[in-house]
Amino acid sequence: MKTNFSRRMELERLYRRVRGGLMVVALAVVAMATVNTSGAKELLAATPGATSSAEHREVGLLHADIESARSELRLAAARLERWNKIFGYARKYGIAADLSGAIYDAAINEKIDPALAFPLVRLESRFNERAVSPVGASGLTQLMLPTARGFDPTVTSETIFDRETNLRIGFRYLHKLIRWQKGDVEMALLAYNRGPAAVEVAKDLALDASNGYESILLRGYKGRGILD
């Protein structure tokens, strides 16, 4: 079994390899854009006034190459930023990079702030994909099967443990609750933990719905919970 130290060292080595590769790509794209820009300027400078159709086509091709290079640079920068985030969360929570990537990507896809998604998974399951609660909540985000089937009728008692399926549905459910509570992240988290009905009854009876769950998750968090 790997120790936390060996896992951390492995993460650091993988992070350096990925970051190094993306930096090489970015530098190559920058160089390409610089060369192409210089070529376009030289061609335009050599064209006194009216230019031939062939020259116009050549200039157009050069500009197209420059725009393509810029797009590749933006893509490389986005990839580098994604990996920076993924490895940062992996180090922070002491989990494997592939699990960190799955949580991060699922959160982004479902428009949940990753800074909230990771603490939720940690509190719900301690990052254990096969976690089962005393009441039958399952997987990384501790979904009840009826709740999961409300979002995907094909989910079974086994597929609910699938990493991507569980994260996708769990974060989609949380997003729906935050919208339902009109942006009140605290109440949405309580509904996620206790169930929407219990929270509504507490509100109707003017009772405090808090059980401490939301305070643990939101400790130090200042975001809106959702990304849209």
Side-chain angles (χ1 to χ4, degrees):
M1 181 180 294
K2 292 182 180 179
T3 64
N4 287 337
F5 178 76
S6 62
R7 175 180 288 176
R8 185 178 295 274
M9 294 302 294
E10 191 174 280
L11 280 171
E12 292 290 349
R13 287 194 295 271
L14 182 57
Y15 172 73
R16 285 195 293 270
R17 286 201 300 272
V18 172
R19 188 175 187 278
L22 288 174
M23 288 301 293
V24 169
V25 171
L27 289 172
V29 172
V30 170
M32 185 191 308
T34 302
V35 170
N36 284 338
T37 302
S38 299
K41 287 180 178 178
E42 290 173 4
L43 182 59
L44 289 171
T47 305
T51 58
S52 68
S53 59
E55 289 170 334
H56 275 300
R57 284 196 300 274
E58 185 65 23
V59 171
L61 289 172
L62 285 171
H63 280 299
D65 286 344
I66 292 169
E67 287 307 311
S68 176
R70 286 173 178 163
S71 295
E72 290 177 26
L73 180 57
R74 286 192 291 268
L75 181 59
R79 286 174 177 169
L80 180 58
E81 175 66 14
R82 173 179 174 271
W83 277 107
N84 275 332
K85 297 283 189 178
I86 287 172
F87 282 111
Y89 284 119
R91 287 194 298 266
K92 180 176 180 178
Y93 293 101
I95 59 177
D98 63 326
L99 176 56
S100 179
I103 296 170
Y104 181 84
D105 289 341
I108 294 296
N109 290 337
E110 298 303 328
K111 300 189 182 303
I112 289 293
D113 187 350
L116 179 62
F118 278 87
L120 182 139
V121 176
R122 178 180 61 179
L123 184 58
E124 288 289 343
S125 64
R126 295 294 172 186
F127 301 105
N128 177 8
E129 296 180 45
R130 302 295 302 185
V132 179
S133 77
V135 296
S138 305
L140 289 167
T141 61
Q142 289 291 277
L143 288 170
M144 298 296 289
L145 189 56
T147 300
R149 284 179 173 163
F151 291 89
D152 183 351
T154 67
V155 174
T156 68
S157 57
E158 182 55 35
T159 60
I160 197 172
F161 291 102
D162 175 73
R163 175 186 290 182
E164 282 72 25
T165 299
N166 194 281
L167 291 169
R168 170 174 54 83
I169 296 175
F171 293 154
R172 187 169 297 181
Y173 179 42
L174 178 59
H175 187 278
K176 180 180 179 180
L177 291 173
I178 294 174
R179 285 294 189 188
W180 173 56
Q181 290 294 332
K182 297 180 172 54
D184 188 333
V185 181
E186 289 189 10
M187 293 304 297
L189 289 172
L190 283 170
Y192 188 97
N193 177 249
R194 298 184 57 189
V199 170
E200 283 303 292
V201 168
K203 288 170 66 175
D204 290 343
L205 298 176
L207 300 174
D208 184 5
S210 176
N211 60 1
Y213 176 87
E214 80 287 5
S215 300
I216 296 173
L217 271 180
L218 295 176
R219 189 174 298 142
Y221 180 73
K222 303 296 183 184
R224 297 174 52 246
I226 56 179
L227 301 177
D228 58 0

